[in-house]
Amino acid sequence: MNLLRQKRILLGISGGIAAYKSAELIRRLQDQGADVRIIMTSSAMEFVKPLTYQALSSYPIHTDLLDPNAEAAMGHIELARWADVFVIAPATANTIAQIVHGEANDLLSTVILASRAPLVVVPAMNQAMWANAATQANMQTLRERHINILGPDSGSQACGDVGEGRMLDVADIVAQLGDVFKNDQLAGKHVVITAGPTREAIDPVRYISNHSSGKMGYALAQAALEAGAAVTLISGPTQLTTPERATTVQVISALDMHKAASDACQDADIFIACAAVADYRPIDIAEQKIKKNDDEMSISLTKNPDILADISHSHDSLFTVGFAAETHDLIKHATGKLERKKLNMIIANNVGADSSTGFNTDDNAVEVLYQDKTSIKQQSFAQCSKTILAKQLITFIAEKHPS
Ligand code: C5P
């Protein structure tokens, strides 16, 4: 499985001679389908010009914490939130020390502090600097904080020394980076996920639908695959590429989605209903395109089945997770749905006009309500990319799902 496809990789380049290898790293990550953005320290710019990386990545290089133009385009907090993974390659002894001490005195160290994305440190330095007790103590601190460390390698160094401290080969970095996204939290489980909108036909060319992009459902499918689950993704029409290794069933209408989800849930362990299913459909679908004649027209609608409620009421041992997109009274409405639909968990998000998260956005922030023995508990998940959020939600679902 290509674990780097569609991942947003923030690459921090600090000032070592190995910075020249980062150009190759950018290309190889892009070959895997990753989207790469770059931060350079001022000392990295002494080794390689930002233009080199800019030409490769097709994005402006972020170098300065106090640059108003860069902040206006994509501010440092936005950059920190954007990342699915934050890779520091090369990571010099100085950058490693900054991470250990929580310094925020340049752009790279500040974004490291501000980011919730998994951090991957790829050390590269002279063998004596690597062997130094201070560096070794710092590395031990990184390990204790569960920060991912790739390398270093040993061999001949640019300075003429031979020993440990060389940056890991680019091919090895790419091969090992995917492991950051992998775990076995749902190994052996079958997870069924609905995603995207449904389209309810009015006539052969028109339909009723909504703005759901499917991004959250697809991100959950990817995260469930990475957690070792067998995944059936039942998708309404979207522009998204289907995750490799998921069994994807493409559907159009709510009735199609209902049938596909009911079939897939026969042997499922977890059902996550992320789709924005149309609540109603036209009673009659005109066989030919409806002509415009009168000044007014009306379409009679009938209620669609509630896929999630139907499946959760008919499968006692299935762990069911719903979504509640609300413009107001988020918790009240979500609690009502949790109880009415007989769910184990509901993921509530605000889709009000003033919200930057939810429908058709890349970021999301949610409140999760879940049944805990006899009471309903609540857990907040702060704003981050849908990929990171999906990973956190899958971990949470795996924890709450009785294995
Ligand atoms: O009732 P409401 O549509 O707000 O509930 C949202 C939740 O129910 C989502 O998880 C959605 O996928 C699911 N749903 C469904 N079938 C419907 C309507 C909603 O599965 N017809």
Side-chain angles (χ1 to χ4, degrees), residues 17 20-21 125-127 153-167:
I17 180 62
Y20 79 92
K21 293 189 192 170
M125 66 196 76
N126 163 271
Q127 52 86 23
D153 233 342
S154 55
S156 62
Q157 300 199 301
C159 52
D161 281 4
V162 177
E164 208 178 356
R166 256 167 51 143
M167 186 161 104

Side-chain angles (χ1 to χ4, degrees), residues 11-228:
L11 177 62
I13 303 174
S14 57
I17 180 62
Y20 79 92
K21 293 189 192 170
S22 304
E24 177 70 7
L25 179 59
I26 295 164
R27 294 308 297 265
R28 299 290 79 86
L29 292 173
Q30 289 170 333
D31 289 348
Q32 300 293 307
D35 188 2
V36 186
R37 305 281 169 101
I38 295 149
I39 297 178
M40 293 178 80
T41 63
S42 53
S43 55
M45 289 190 281
E46 302 291 329
F47 289 92
V48 180
K49 289 241 180 309
L51 197 58
T52 307
Y53 302 129
Q54 182 161 325
L56 292 171
S57 79
S58 323
Y59 291 105
I61 306 305
H62 300 264
T63 55
D64 195 352
L65 184 57
L66 303 172
D67 176 354
N69 290 333
E71 284 296 297
M74 193 188 216
H76 66 277
I77 297 295
E78 218 180 320
L79 199 56
R81 280 196 195 130
W82 173 86
D84 294 329
V85 63
F86 195 173
V87 183
I88 317 298
T92 59
N94 178 54
T95 299
I96 290 167
Q98 281 179 304
I99 299 171
V100 167
H101 296 291
E103 285 176 15
N105 47 18
D106 60 4
L107 180 66
L108 181 61
S109 55
T110 304
V111 178
I112 290 172
L113 269 189
S115 178
R116 288 198 185 86
L119 185 63
V120 180
V121 170
V122 189
M125 66 196 76
N126 163 271
Q127 52 86 23
M129 291 172 80
W130 174 253
N132 189 289
T135 305
Q136 287 305 311
N138 286 340
M139 293 310 296
Q140 184 55 28
T141 306
L142 295 189
R143 279 182 217 107
E144 284 161 11
R145 290 183 196 163
H146 306 290
I147 289 173
N148 305 281
I149 299 163
L150 303 184
D153 233 342
S154 55
S156 62
Q157 300 199 301
C159 52
D161 281 4
V162 177
E164 208 178 356
R166 256 167 51 143
M167 186 161 104
L168 200 62
D169 277 347
V170 166
D172 293 330
I173 298 173
V174 174
Q176 292 178 35
L177 201 52
D179 290 345
V180 172
F181 295 98
K182 212 158 125 198
N183 61 68
D184 59 0
Q185 290 160 338
L186 289 177
K189 304 288 175 206
H190 179 200
V191 180
V192 177
I193 301 174
T194 63
T198 64
R199 281 182 189 169
E200 310 302 326
I202 297 171
D203 68 14
V205 294
R206 302 185 181 94
Y207 55 80
I208 299 169
S209 192
N210 58 65
H211 291 299
S212 168
S213 63
K215 284 178 187 164
M216 193 66 229
Y218 276 58
L220 284 163
Q222 182 65 27
L225 285 165
E226 290 166 9

